[in-house]
Amino acid sequence: MTDRTDHPQPLSADEILDVVDERDRVVGQAPRAEIYARRLLHRCTFIQVRDPAGRLFVHRRTARKLVFPSHYDLFVGGVVGTGETYDAAALREAEEELGVTGLPAPTPLFRFLYRSEEYGGWWSAVYEVRCDLPVRPQAEEVDWYGFLPEDEVARRLPEWRWVPDGLEAWHRLREWRAG
């Protein structure tokens, strides 16, 4: 487990993203800050990462994140860029956040529409990937990280403050796997 406290770059609220409708169809574009302020639907990826021992990658987001700062997360991922596919965004986000290159393409599992009182909502594509590479998570994204066994994750669920969308994705993934 590693603590990260260096933050070399501010995160961009000016990044242009696709705005989508209730059926996940692109209906326009807007800067990320405007999307959150106006609570517009957009797209995100959630990638569950496991190491060769089957442990889950868990991390704490930096305090500088625009959404859910300093919360713990069970997934890596993020917003899908304008014109980008979910699959391309999943690989890009996983490699960026883990600080690796050459990661296998994450396996797509399912999508769901997440709703947030504060930020609106986003279509969420859930993936999984195994990472056999040494990770060096992006300092501007991750303050702390570790690969944790599932029983430890279960113990930490009531103790730590988790990103609500990731927690919902976690519960949906467990239901999806249970059939």
Side-chain angles (χ1 to χ4, degrees):
M1 293 186 239
T2 303
D3 239 336
R4 303 291 302 256
T5 54
D6 50 331
H7 303 286
Q9 299 175 356
L11 299 176
S12 175
D14 298 326
E15 180 182 8
I16 303 298
L17 305 177
D18 285 335
V19 176
V20 297
D21 65 12
E22 296 284 334
R23 294 188 178 164
D24 197 18
R25 297 177 298 200
V26 175
V27 295
Q29 287 80 35
R32 183 193 299 230
E34 181 180 339
I35 284 175
Y36 294 149
R38 294 182 48 208
R39 304 177 64 226
L40 302 172
L41 290 179
H42 57 289
R43 294 174 168 162
C44 289
T45 59
F46 294 78
I47 306 95
Q48 184 179 75
V49 180
R50 291 184 185 269
D51 70 2
R55 297 174 302 177
L56 294 169
F57 181 81
V58 176
H59 68 282
R60 186 178 61 240
R61 297 161 60 91
T62 65
R64 300 177 63 177
K65 294 291 286 183
L66 292 173
V67 177
F68 311 127
S70 300
H71 285 59
Y72 287 88
D73 204 341
L74 295 154
F75 298 89
V76 296
V79 296
V80 177
T82 297
E84 189 175 34
T85 66
Y86 281 109
D87 290 350
L91 179 59
R92 174 184 55 77
E93 287 284 351
E95 287 190 333
E96 283 176 8
E97 285 195 35
L98 295 170
V100 301
T101 56
L103 193 66
T107 302
L109 302 177
F110 61 90
R111 293 183 194 169
F112 70 97
L113 178 56
Y114 176 77
R115 291 290 190 178
S116 165
E117 288 292 321
E118 188 173 356
Y119 299 107
W122 40 91
W123 277 98
S124 306
V126 179
Y127 291 78
E128 65 183 357
V129 71
R130 178 177 149 159
C131 182
D132 295 338
L133 305 164
V135 299
R136 291 179 318 215
Q138 206 173 18
E140 57 271 12
E141 300 277 337
V142 176
D143 269 341
W144 170 92
Y145 68 95
F147 281 96
L148 305 179
E150 286 205 46
D151 61 340
E152 184 172 348
V153 170
R155 282 194 313 272
R156 301 294 186 182
L157 285 176
E159 297 172 8
W160 292 351
R161 187 171 60 159
W162 298 92
V163 295
D165 58 344
L167 196 55
E168 183 167 333
W170 166 261
H171 290 300
R172 286 176 182 250
L173 178 55
R174 290 175 59 89
E175 289 173 11
W176 182 84
R177 285 198 168 120

